[in-house]
């Protein structure tokens, strides 16, 4: 690069002053050396020299004296340096005040049962420290919190009982399914099983939460003959109702009365020594989804959605 004086042209009144060039000038003025200034700005030295010539051409005055002994400020350059610092300071303040005036925003994310959203929430809070970002743990059947807009989004498993025509549903990741059996079951220890291996066994029926405890076929009747007036068979325990808890259903499995099918990501059953899980082949995986209102334009929601990375395990949610 040559530091010979640049020939300046008449001022260019057709374009606005480029703040990037103004910032470059202040660094050159502070260093009084193009090499050191280029290093601070992480630009090539010839490019920086051309940018200063552009600035001088735009202003129509020489700002820098370039000689073999070094670089110095002209009188006009000294005046412009003071104005440049004020201009950059005003620009930074304008951005700060404008951002502070904008609402920080809020987002409440609901999640059901064993699902985890902490990883994505941490990332969102780090990126938006002034926003009010909250989570709310829900039972699988607490969908009113979403329909009543007490939460902005819901992380759940498909299928779910919500009006699909007014929703935006984003698949976050998929989970294979596992067979849940008593710890003493004949199949415990196998690497994987199929539904054919348990074709003659009883499954927990579940009509209200199809994503959990899903039976691969309609359950057999658990009552006596309809015409004999016998009523429920006292030898067969009643199946789970909509009010039964997760542990109630595990108790039925542990007692040897039935089997269950769960998403592999649901680890709660592995905490009990009286049940076991076996990878199940031949069934479609379970989808974990983010459900939001179709008309929701909350930028925090879009950012939250972006933090999830689909994969074989819960990458972003954890």
């Amino acid at each position: 690069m040559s530091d010979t004086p640049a020939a300046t042209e008449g001022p260019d009144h057709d374009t606005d002053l480029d703040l990037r060039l103004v910032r470059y000038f202040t660094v050159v003025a502070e260093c009084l050396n193009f090499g050191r200034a280029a290093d601070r700005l992480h630009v090539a030295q010839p490019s920086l020299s051309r940018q200063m010539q552009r600035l001088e051409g735009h202003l129509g005055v020489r700002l820098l004296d370039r000689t073999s002994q070094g670089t110095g400020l002209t009188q006009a350059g000294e005046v412009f340096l003071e104005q440049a610092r004020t201009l950059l300071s005003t620009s930074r303040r304008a951005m700060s005040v404008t951002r502070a005036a904008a609402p920080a925003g809020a987002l409440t994310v609901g999640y059901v049962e064993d699902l985890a959203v902490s990883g994505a929430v941490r990332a969102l809070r780090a990126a938006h420290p002034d926003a009010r970002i909250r989570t709310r743990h829900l039972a699988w059947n607490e969908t009113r919190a979403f329909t009543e807009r007490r939460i902005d989004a819901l992380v759940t498993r498909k299928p779910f009982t919500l009006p699909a025509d007014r929703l935006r549903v984003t698949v976050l990741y998929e989970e294979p399914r596992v067979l849940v059996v008593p710890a003493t079951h004949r199949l415990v220890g196998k690497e994987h099983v199929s539904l054919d291996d348990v074709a003659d066994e009883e499954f927990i029926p579940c009509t209200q939460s199809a994503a959990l405890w899903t039976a691969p076929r309609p359950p057999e009747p658990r009552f006596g003959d309809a015409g004999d007036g016998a009523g429920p068979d006292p030898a067969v325990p009643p199946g789970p109702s909509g009010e039964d808890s997760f542990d109630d259903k595990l108790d039925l499995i542990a007692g040897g009365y039935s089997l269950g099918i769960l998403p592999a990501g649901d680890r709660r059953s592995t905490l009990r020594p009286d049940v076991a899980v076996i990878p199940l082949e031949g069934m479609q995986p379970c989808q974990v989804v983010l459900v939001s209102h179709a008309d929701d334009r909350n930028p925090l929601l879009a950012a939250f959605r972006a933090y999830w990375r689909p994969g074989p395990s819960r990458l972003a949610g954890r």
Side-chain angles (χ1 to χ4, degrees), residues 14-248:
D14 295 332
T15 58
D16 296 326
L17 195 60
D18 189 336
L19 289 180
R20 180 176 61 92
L21 299 184
V22 174
R23 182 171 66 88
Y24 282 10
F25 168 76
T26 61
V27 174
V28 172
E30 291 167 1
C31 294
L32 292 179
N33 181 285
F34 273 81
R36 290 196 297 269
D39 289 341
R40 277 182 54 181
L41 293 167
H42 304 290
V43 299
Q45 185 173 335
S47 174
L48 179 59
S49 181
R50 289 193 296 272
Q51 300 304 323
M52 291 303 93
Q53 291 176 10
R54 279 188 55 201
L55 179 62
E56 289 176 326
H58 182 78
L59 294 172
V61 297
R62 187 185 297 276
L63 301 174
L64 299 164
D65 277 330
R66 305 166 179 83
T67 67
S68 57
Q69 284 75 37
T71 303
L73 292 176
T74 65
Q75 184 176 354
E78 292 177 353
V79 172
F80 185 70
L81 176 60
E82 182 179 351
Q83 299 300 319
R85 287 169 172 163
T86 300
L87 183 61
L88 293 175
S89 176
T90 301
S91 174
R92 287 190 294 268
R93 177 167 174 76
M95 289 189 292
S96 175
V97 171
T98 301
R99 288 169 178 165
L107 182 72
T108 301
V109 178
Y111 61 101
V112 301
E113 300 294 343
D114 65 300
L115 294 174
V117 298
S118 57
V121 168
R122 281 196 303 270
L124 188 64
R125 285 173 174 160
H128 303 271
D130 296 327
R132 186 178 64 176
I133 301 166
R134 298 181 296 182
T135 60
R136 183 171 180 177
H137 183 261
L138 304 171
W140 65 266
N141 57 353
E142 287 187 83
T143 56
R144 288 184 60 186
F146 181 79
T147 55
E148 295 175 357
R149 300 202 178 224
R150 286 183 277 127
I151 59 174
D152 301 298
L154 175 65
V155 177
T156 186
R157 290 184 174 94
K158 291 181 67 176
F160 45 81
T161 55
L162 289 168
D165 60 326
R166 297 192 293 273
L167 301 178
R168 176 175 178 180
V169 180
T170 303
V171 177
L172 303 180
Y173 56 90
E174 293 186 336
E175 298 174 318
R177 298 182 191 262
V178 294
L179 181 69
V180 187
V181 300
T184 56
H185 195 273
R186 60 184 173 82
L187 294 176
V188 172
K190 284 188 170 291
E191 292 186 3
H192 54 78
V193 295
S194 69
L195 292 177
D196 291 339
D197 295 319
V198 288
D200 298 326
E201 301 200 44
E202 184 77 24
F203 278 80
I204 292 180
C206 190
T207 58
Q208 298 189 49
S209 179
L212 298 176
W213 314 102
T214 304
R217 59 188 180 279
E220 295 294 330
R222 303 172 68 93
F223 296 87
D225 292 336
D228 62 8
D233 183 347
V236 180
S241 70
E243 289 74 34
D244 286 331
S245 69
F246 188 92
D247 285 327
D248 290 331

Side-chain angles (χ1 to χ4, degrees), residues 303-318:
F304 180 76
R305 186 180 294 110
Y307 285 119
W308 290 87
R309 297 293 181 268
S313 60
R314 305 171 194 192
L315 301 181
R318 294 295 186 194

